[in-house]
Amino acid sequence: MAGTALPSSRALARDLGLARNTVAETYGQLVAEGWLSARHGSGTWVTQRAGQLPSVGATAGRSAARGPRYDLRPGVPDVSAFPRAAWLAAARKALAAASAAELSYADPRGLPGLRTALAEYLARARGVAVTPDRVIVCAGFSQGMELVCEVLRARGSRELAVEAYGHPQHRGIAARSGLRVVPLPVDDRGADVAVLPGSRPPARQAGSPRLGAVLLTPAHQFPFGVILAPDRRRHVAEWAAATGAVVIEDDYDGEFRYDRQAVGALQPLAPESVVYAGTASKSLAPGLRLGWLVVPADLLDPIVDAKRTAGRLSSSLDQLALAELIRSGGYDRQVRRARLAYRRRRDRLIAALAAAVPDVRVAGIAAGLHALVRLPGGVAERDVVTRAAARGLAVHGLATTQAGEQDLGPALIVGYATPPPYAFSTAVARLCAALREVIGA
Amino acid sequence: MAGTALPSSRALARDLGLARNTVAETYGQLVAEGWLSARHGSGTWVTQRAGQLPSVGATAGRSAARGPRYDLRPGVPDVSAFPRAAWLAAARKALAAASAAELSYADPRGLPGLRTALAEYLARARGVAVTPDRVIVCAGFSQGMELVCEVLRARGSRELAVEAYGHPQHRGIAARSGLRVVPLPVDDRGADVAVLPGSRPPARQAGSPRLGAVLLTPAHQFPFGVILAPDRRRHVAEWAAATGAVVIEDDYDGEFRYDRQAVGALQPLAPESVVYAGTASKSLAPGLRLGWLVVPADLLDPIVDAKRTAGRLSSSLDQLALAELIRSGGYDRQVRRARLAYRRRRDRLIAALAAAVPDVRVAGIAAGLHALVRLPGGVAERDVVTRAAARGLAVHGLATTQAGEQDLGPALIVGYATPPPYAFSTAVARLCAALREVIGA
């Protein structure tokens, strides 16, 4: 509500288990975008504009546009590329064949047809060691993460190791489940898993509880975009198997690799220790709310039990349509098409930055839907974010993802997937202009 | 898993806040249906058959049939009547017009177009006092109930008054949220709300927390099928307004009234005290996972905040399609068609029972998707349930819904909506045969 006072960044950071910097940067960004206003000495407030949520008028059916005019924040694909015709064709075919059981209160693990299709797809496209009975359909990665964290906490885990830079929402989910997040340093070979607590303990006794837990993005570290190095993959797999720990593999952007062969999942190195998590939010649309877990045998029942509780079942109609889309090859086609489109965007972004602001270094570009634009030393992320906001462009600073004390310098996380095609060039031009203004190239 | 031991009915009843009878009856029913086996002195176990969950074969897309051959349990509509063509047409039209914002991470309250359509529909069809900004879309009634219970608990409520007979799942949701359920006696005028705690307190001070809370089914009490009497409606509305209590109105079967004009919602008597809850699970299909709340102003923000958390957003595609279905009049047509079909089934059920077992009395038939079949004194529900199970028919005894000590005698809750049309006559014939066997007509 407009006028509502927000908690101090210190208090909120404590509540959410985040670094204070992260919260402060997030507030700064929201101020820059006009959602919040800050007055020195009297805290941060929701502005009038933020109170005006999408108008719910009689013209119905279209939500009023909200937020920035141009959007280069990470995390959302170009939803204008959602394959509407293919989706509807799949929905029609699937609905015609759907059984009564599939339209009723359905299996909390997800519909059997979708779990079979996903198992086949994940084995083929991501190298996951999987049978359909290990697949659990969930409402996006967030719900999957929430289910796993709840189960880990109920089994006695107290902490979740996370990458020192990563999605603050995921750390928030862990914190709400009662897990303290412990940051692992990140370098150009991914998370430094050698520092995981108890990395060289005696072998686990059969049946002893899994207490250790770590969340990783092995295919394309968010936000740095590096691959978890092979020796580190082996190390974390062995560590988990030996200590009975659980690895949550967020296969972030796993389908969007541009410059070499796909990097497979970590999961097959230790299928009984790794919870593999994927989502249709990037390949299709976040509004679908469909994701999937592939889980070790001994976590299957507790996760399904958690999923069974109120309000956590996923829409059968969407599950039926997605299963048909995967079976028919339409999902693969959509991923290939999106990969090509995003690769072209990436190339255009790199070329534009090289021409306009040669002082910045672009990293993490071999895969995914975002690039890391490193700023020269002494340049404040916040200045660029503010200048961009003045031009109607939303972009995130690296600090919004920071979990701990490790500080890898100023950078922007440029999500180049979000704008619809007609807005992409202008968004990039405004980014370049904002950067030039601050860096003074 | 097959072979798993279940907790004692006493322990489970305590954990879930249910009457022990309810749990014992539920176990008995599952034993009768073959899912569990009970050995005297050694507890209750999951049978091998229950371990064989739906086979997930390469033939994909159809789940193997599971459970009883004929199903007269309450709670599930005839999903074979799901309006597939109308739904697909609505989905096509809605998807063609959908904005990027609607396909992305969308408003946690639900898409504006659906909230507008629901507000118009609920005002017209159910007499609800509602504007679109008071509507919150949720994943079925269960999620709505969970959200409300969590918010009530966080605001300091300790107890939720419930009807002495009602859905055990709903009591389970309240219990999981930390609310103790307190049964209210039920008679042929609905729940006896005069006994609500603090029914004649001093008027509430502005801003004082809402502590009292009650869950009611005013339109068609589940399972007795009676209407909450007008004086009781006024009483509970005044009680809530005066004490600051919250009434959760489960508008169970509100759309399915057969023998007179529709009974309106309780909510307009006290829109700032009543959370109105409805669902598409009965009118369309449970697999949709779409329901809705209409909430008082001061509960809006906390419920939306709870809904915003991980994994609780609803599918945008389904929301878009439902909004279009309502706007186009297709939803009204579906409700009318279903009402007619269920009314015919009710009449056939009553006629069959009257002919086969004149000793039973059928009640609660003016509305809804189930009838209460009262058994003669001395007849045990369990005997009928067991005989029916031997004939491949699942049916529930009244005791499965019992929350407290009030005991209104033996009866069956016959859900006549569930079977597909081709199976309805056989299901009813088997019910009559099982009743005749036990009652010996």
Side-chain angles (χ1 to χ4, degrees):
Chain A
M1 285 300 191
T4 305
L6 297 181
S8 72
S9 57
R10 188 181 301 275
L12 190 61
R14 196 187 49 228
D15 287 356
L16 297 179
L18 303 174
R20 194 192 161 190
N21 252 1
T22 304
V23 175
E25 279 290 336
T26 306
Y27 275 15
Q29 204 127 346
L30 289 167
V31 169
E33 291 169 18
W35 298 105
L36 303 180
S37 70
R39 301 173 215 149
H40 257 296
S42 63
T44 309
W45 306 76
V46 179
T47 57
Q48 204 55 42
R49 177 178 152 223
Q52 291 154 1
L53 288 166
S55 75
V56 182
T59 52
R62 311 271 310 196
S63 69
R66 152 164 89 146
R69 188 145 170 225
Y70 295 97
D71 195 346
L72 290 176
R73 292 174 294 187
V76 177
D78 173 16
V79 291
S80 77
F82 181 80
R84 299 173 193 224
W87 180 265
L88 285 167
R92 184 177 317 112
K93 189 167 173 200
L95 200 47
S99 69
E102 287 167 332
L103 295 176
S104 187
Y105 293 98
D107 191 326
R109 299 171 299 176
L111 296 183
L114 178 56
R115 295 162 67 220
T116 302
L118 281 170
E120 187 277 326
Y121 174 77
L122 294 173
R124 173 167 55 78
R126 306 292 306 126
V128 176
V130 54
T131 48
D133 60 308
R134 294 293 186 87
V135 177
I136 300 173
V137 177
C138 47
F141 176 81
S142 297
Q143 189 191 61
M145 174 82 185
E146 187 182 53
L147 295 172
V148 174
C149 286
E150 277 179 26
V151 167
L152 292 176
R153 185 69 191 80
R155 290 165 72 108
S157 288
R158 300 268 162 179
E159 295 180 345
L160 177 71
V162 299
E163 294 163 334
Y165 286 81
H167 279 289
Q169 301 92 311
H170 301 170
R171 298 194 295 265
I173 293 168
R176 277 197 301 278
S177 303
L179 296 173
R180 199 168 71 85
V181 295
V182 183
L184 292 177
V186 177
D187 58 32
D188 57 6
R189 302 174 60 249
D192 184 3
V193 292
V195 306
L196 281 168
S199 246
R200 270 158 198 75
R204 163 167 92 115
Q205 296 190 318
S208 67
R210 296 162 175 274
L211 289 173
V214 59
L215 169 66
L216 295 173
T217 52
H220 187 235
Q221 203 278 334
F222 181 85
F224 291 106
V226 297
I227 301 168
L228 186 63
D231 62 309
R232 289 188 174 173
R233 292 179 173 236
R234 278 193 304 277
H235 177 87
V236 73
E238 284 163 15
W239 166 79
T243 64
V246 172
V247 180
I248 306 173
E249 175 175 23
D250 177 5
D251 196 22
Y252 181 81
D253 289 349
E255 288 153 325
F256 295 101
R257 178 148 289 279
Y258 307 124
D259 293 344
R260 58 175 105 177
Q261 279 301 88
V263 173
L266 164 66
Q267 186 263 6
L269 296 186
E272 297 305 336
S273 301
V274 177
V275 175
Y276 172 92
T279 176
S281 293
K282 305 286 186 293
S283 51
L284 293 169
L288 262 184
R289 310 311 308 133
L290 281 179
W292 41 85
L293 300 176
V294 178
V295 306
D298 67 344
L299 292 178
L300 192 58
D301 284 349
I303 293 177
V304 173
D305 283 345
K307 166 94 180 156
R308 191 178 279 122
T309 65
R312 281 175 161 171
L313 301 184
S314 305
S315 159
S316 293
L317 299 193
D318 293 343
Q319 291 187 64
L320 288 165
L322 178 58
E324 177 56 34
L325 194 69
I326 296 174
R327 278 196 299 272
S328 69
Y331 184 80
D332 284 78
R333 276 192 296 279
Q334 169 65 10
V335 168
R336 281 199 300 272
R337 196 160 32 222
R339 192 188 291 135
L340 190 63
Y342 294 142
R343 182 183 173 147
R344 283 199 191 117
R345 287 186 178 208
R346 179 201 65 163
D347 294 345
R348 285 167 64 190
L349 172 71
I350 295 170
L353 288 169
V357 273
D359 283 357
V360 305
R361 196 159 58 78
V362 185
I365 52 177
L369 310 184
H370 74 273
L372 195 74
V373 177
R374 291 198 172 278
L375 303 174
V379 172
E381 291 173 9
R382 193 183 308 212
D383 290 346
V384 184
V385 169
T386 309
R387 300 292 177 113
R391 295 168 179 276
L393 171 70
V395 65
H396 273 183
L398 178 58
T400 57
T401 66
Q402 199 178 352
E405 301 308 313
Q406 190 186 19
D407 186 348
L408 294 171
L412 302 179
I413 309 169
V414 177
Y416 49 80
T418 309
Y422 64 84
F424 181 69
S425 296
T426 312
V428 170
R430 295 190 181 200
L431 174 69
C432 290
L435 282 165
R436 258 209 314 271
E437 247 178 66
V438 176
I439 301 176
Chain B
M1 285 300 191
T4 305
L6 297 181
S8 72
S9 55
R10 186 183 303 276
L12 190 61
R14 195 187 50 228
D15 288 356
L16 298 179
L18 303 173
R20 194 189 162 194
N21 253 1
T22 305
V23 175
E25 279 290 336
T26 306
Y27 275 14
Q29 204 127 343
L30 290 167
V31 169
E33 291 170 16
W35 297 106
L36 303 181
S37 70
R39 302 171 213 150
H40 259 295
S42 62
T44 310
W45 305 76
V46 180
T47 58
Q48 203 54 44
R49 177 177 151 224
Q52 291 156 0
L53 289 163
S55 76
V56 182
T59 53
R62 313 270 309 196
S63 70
R66 156 166 85 146
R69 189 147 169 223
Y70 296 97
D71 195 346
L72 290 175
R73 292 173 294 186
V76 177
D78 172 17
V79 292
S80 78
F82 180 81
R84 298 172 194 224
W87 179 266
L88 285 167
R92 184 176 318 110
K93 190 168 170 195
L95 200 48
S99 69
E102 287 168 331
L103 294 177
S104 187
Y105 292 98
D107 191 327
R109 299 171 300 177
L111 296 184
L114 178 56
R115 295 162 67 219
T116 302
L118 282 170
E120 186 277 327
Y121 174 78
L122 293 173
R124 172 167 56 79
R126 305 293 305 125
V128 176
V130 53
T131 49
D133 60 307
R134 295 292 187 90
V135 177
I136 299 173
V137 177
C138 47
F141 176 81
S142 296
Q143 188 191 62
M145 173 82 184
E146 187 183 53
L147 294 172
V148 175
C149 287
E150 277 179 26
V151 166
L152 291 176
R153 185 66 190 80
R155 290 165 72 106
S157 287
R158 300 269 162 178
E159 294 180 347
L160 177 72
V162 299
E163 295 164 332
Y165 287 81
H167 280 288
Q169 302 92 312
H170 301 169
R171 298 195 295 267
I173 293 169
R176 277 198 300 277
S177 303
L179 296 172
R180 200 167 71 84
V181 295
V182 183
L184 293 176
V186 177
D187 59 30
D188 58 5
R189 301 173 61 249
D192 184 3
V193 292
V195 306
L196 280 168
S199 248
R200 271 155 197 79
R204 163 166 92 114
Q205 297 189 317
S208 68
R210 297 161 174 274
L211 290 174
V214 59
L215 169 66
L216 295 173
T217 52
H220 187 235
Q221 203 278 333
F222 181 85
F224 291 107
V226 298
I227 301 169
L228 186 63
D231 62 308
R232 290 189 174 172
R233 291 178 174 236
R234 279 192 304 277
H235 177 87
V236 73
E238 285 161 15
W239 165 78
T243 64
V246 172
V247 181
I248 306 173
E249 175 175 23
D250 177 5
D251 196 22
Y252 182 79
D253 289 350
E255 288 154 325
F256 296 102
R257 179 148 288 280
Y258 307 125
D259 293 343
R260 58 175 102 179
Q261 281 300 88
V263 173
L266 164 66
Q267 185 264 5
L269 297 185
E272 297 304 338
S273 301
V274 177
V275 176
Y276 173 92
T279 176
S281 293
K282 303 286 185 293
S283 51
L284 292 169
L288 263 184
R289 310 311 307 132
L290 281 179
W292 41 85
L293 301 176
V294 178
V295 306
D298 67 343
L299 291 178
L300 193 58
D301 284 350
I303 293 177
V304 174
D305 283 345
K307 165 95 179 153
R308 191 177 280 123
T309 65
R312 280 173 160 172
L313 301 184
S314 304
S315 159
S316 292
L317 300 192
D318 293 343
Q319 291 188 64
L320 288 164
L322 179 58
E324 176 55 34
L325 194 69
I326 296 174
R327 278 196 299 271
S328 69
Y331 184 80
D332 284 80
R333 277 192 295 278
Q334 168 65 12
V335 168
R336 281 197 300 273
R337 197 161 29 221
R339 192 189 291 134
L340 190 64
Y342 294 141
R343 182 183 174 146
R344 284 198 191 119
R345 288 184 178 210
R346 179 201 64 163
D347 295 344
R348 286 168 63 191
L349 172 71
I350 294 169
L353 288 170
V357 274
D359 283 357
V360 305
R361 197 159 59 78
V362 185
I365 53 178
L369 311 185
H370 73 273
L372 195 74
V373 177
R374 291 196 174 278
L375 304 175
V379 171
E381 291 172 9
R382 194 183 309 212
D383 290 345
V384 185
V385 169
T386 308
R387 299 292 178 114
R391 295 170 179 276
L393 172 70
V395 65
H396 273 182
L398 178 57
T400 56
T401 66
Q402 197 177 351
E405 301 308 314
Q406 190 186 19
D407 186 347
L408 293 169
L412 301 179
I413 309 169
V414 178
Y416 48 79
T418 309
Y422 64 83
F424 181 69
S425 296
T426 312
V428 170
R430 295 191 180 200
L431 173 69
C432 290
L435 282 165
R436 261 208 314 270
E437 247 180 65
V438 177
I439 302 175

